[in-house]
Amino acid sequence: MNILLIGSGGREHALAKKLTSSPEVKLFAAPGNPGIFQYATSARINPEHHAEVLEFCKERDIELVVIGPEAPLAAGLADDLRLRGISAFGPSREAARLESSKAFAKDFMLRHSIPTAQYRVFNEHQHQEARDYVAAHPLPIVIKADGLAAGKGVTVAETHRYALEALDAAFDGKFGTAGRSIVVEEFMQGEEASVFAICDGERFLTLATAQDHKRIGDGDTGENTGGMGAYAPAPIVTPNILRDVEERIIAPTLRGMKAEGKPFVGCLYVGLMIDLSGTSRVVEFNVRFGDPETQAVLAVLDGNLAQLLHSAAVGKLDARSVKNVAGGVACCVVLAAGGYPGEVRKGDEITDIEDAEGIGNGAVSVFHAGTAIRHEPDGTTSLCTNGGRVLGVTASASTLEEAIKRCYEAVKLVHFRGKTYRTDIGAKGLPKG
Ligand code: AMP
Ligand code: GLY
């Protein structure tokens, strides 16, 4: 099966590795990264130019296009592929609104009685009304830009002053068009977890549950990031809680999307808040695999991912392509460049990845995110840093404790100047006390 993978992050490197573990898969990728190209041939196309993608798919007999990030989905790449008869794993532009418009997602959940925080939506002509509403709202309060803002559009405010500043900044254009509408939301107490459902428009299969670590600092302190590490499966999502999430959140979401004429095909990412009583509500939907959760979730997946995603893309989900969604436990620690999530230096040489991958007989993978190959004047090449999140060191084992231990052994072996990481990834999954 010829597959084209769209994307260039750690999530796509993990997808590339798992997809090509099926011997029948020949993988192409765009834009790709040096890690992805260990498993895939570069398609040398610009995924923003849909005509180029379509031409490539015809030339190379691509049977499936797996779309990693949200931007090409929101831009309608899956629609254009399907119009030409090419199977795509990823939702249509309309179905992608579950992520690309928080106002759409909230109104959708209200229409279909899917549990989430209380909210109100305000547009740019309702700035004063929004200010009055925020000023009278109990604290903490959550302010969200409606559109895609690369994970930066959410403010959890402990004071009304801070909340009003966030509101004004969004309406003043801090997030561009993403901030033209604002969602003001009740703060939910609890612990967060991520659930990924592979969907064919009607049916779904949930993969191993996971927990991300969004803050830059140990103990969930400091600035929000794209995600500093993850582990899977997450014991906070007990079998009962997962069943409840499937029944009260995922199934009604798929029914609702179908009934509204935008069936959801792809990976539905349900960001959950689970309270002390074990009740789950939706914090956010994403319409693609999470990063860095995917690195851990796929490390424990025992099955044929290519077959699974292809079956979903053609509307005939084949759950038998997966033997066990959680055959073990995995931990992924993100190595970031110094200064992340602010401005970072690029071009620092990365060494000793092979040593890290030598630990545990294949139990460790180092996934590339912000890396690039540098061509030296003497004709040699070297790997160097090229972004904020540089690598995702991922280890699997039979227990979480062992996975964490292996992961940090490997983390210590990889070197680049300014290497920054959290030292407590996965700790929240260990038994307390
Ligand atoms: P989002 O981009 O919607 O995932 O929001 C980013 C982060 O903000 C989430 O991962 C939560 O930690 C936090 N957050 C968002 N909405 C809420 C809410 N209603 N209550 C509590 N925390 C929230
Ligand atoms: N890990 C958070 C995300 O992928 O959005």
Side-chain angles (χ1 to χ4, degrees), residues 231 235 399-402 404 425-433:
Y231 74 97
T399 66
L400 178 58
E401 214 164 5
E402 185 61 25
I404 293 171
I425 300 300
K428 57 177 115 179
L430 294 172
K432 309 268 181 299

Side-chain angles (χ1 to χ4, degrees), residues 102 106 116-118 141-144 151-156 185-190 192 212 214-215 224 269 271-273 282-286:
K102 291 189 192 286
K106 295 296 290 192
T116 187
Q118 301 273 352
I141 183 170
V142 185
I143 312 282
K144 298 185 173 183
K152 298 190 177 76
V154 176
T155 302
V156 177
E185 197 171 282
E186 162 208 8
F187 178 80
M188 294 184 283
Q189 299 282 356
E192 286 180 71
D212 188 5
K214 285 211 170 122
R215 305 294 196 92
N224 249 320
Y269 171 132
L272 293 173
M273 189 69 81
V282 177
V283 178
E284 62 164 342
F285 283 128
N286 293 318

Side-chain angles (χ1 to χ4, degrees), residues 94-274:
E94 275 299 302
R97 290 181 73 206
L98 281 178
E99 176 168 358
S100 65
S101 168
K102 291 189 192 286
F104 170 81
K106 295 296 290 192
D107 291 345
F108 173 85
M109 286 187 264
L110 185 66
R111 283 197 293 281
H112 297 281
S113 305
I114 294 162
T116 187
Q118 301 273 352
Y119 74 102
R120 270 195 61 184
V121 180
F122 298 93
N123 66 36
E124 55 196 332
H125 307 297
Q126 297 170 305
H127 192 159
Q128 189 52 45
E129 205 179 329
R131 291 190 111 250
D132 295 343
Y133 179 80
V134 166
H137 196 286
L139 295 170
I141 183 170
V142 185
I143 312 282
K144 298 185 173 183
D146 172 55
L148 294 178
K152 298 190 177 76
V154 176
T155 302
V156 177
E158 305 278 347
T159 65
H160 285 116
R161 193 171 148 189
Y162 187 42
L164 290 169
E165 275 172 22
L167 185 75
D168 293 345
F171 279 135
D172 287 346
K174 183 175 176 192
F175 306 112
T177 52
R180 265 197 211 145
S181 284
I182 302 293
V183 176
V184 179
E185 197 171 282
E186 162 208 8
F187 178 80
M188 294 184 283
Q189 299 282 356
E191 201 170 330
E192 286 180 71
S194 311
V195 175
F196 302 160
I198 304 300
C199 306
D200 72 355
E202 273 178 41
R203 285 151 296 200
F204 64 93
L205 174 76
T206 47
L207 302 184
T209 57
Q211 279 191 299
D212 188 5
H213 298 65
K214 285 211 170 122
R215 305 294 196 92
I216 185 73
D218 283 0
D220 294 331
T221 54
E223 279 182 89
N224 249 320
T225 71
M228 292 301 291
Y231 74 97
I236 172 146
V237 189
T238 61
N240 276 341
I241 291 180
L242 183 60
R243 200 170 317 121
D244 176 62
V245 168
E246 291 179 340
E247 284 170 9
R248 287 191 314 124
I249 296 174
I250 301 172
T253 298
L254 292 192
R255 278 198 301 273
M257 291 299 280
K258 184 160 184 245
E260 293 190 11
K262 20 184 181 284
F264 189 93
V265 176
C267 177
L268 179 69
Y269 171 132
V270 187
L272 293 173
M273 189 69 81
I274 304 169

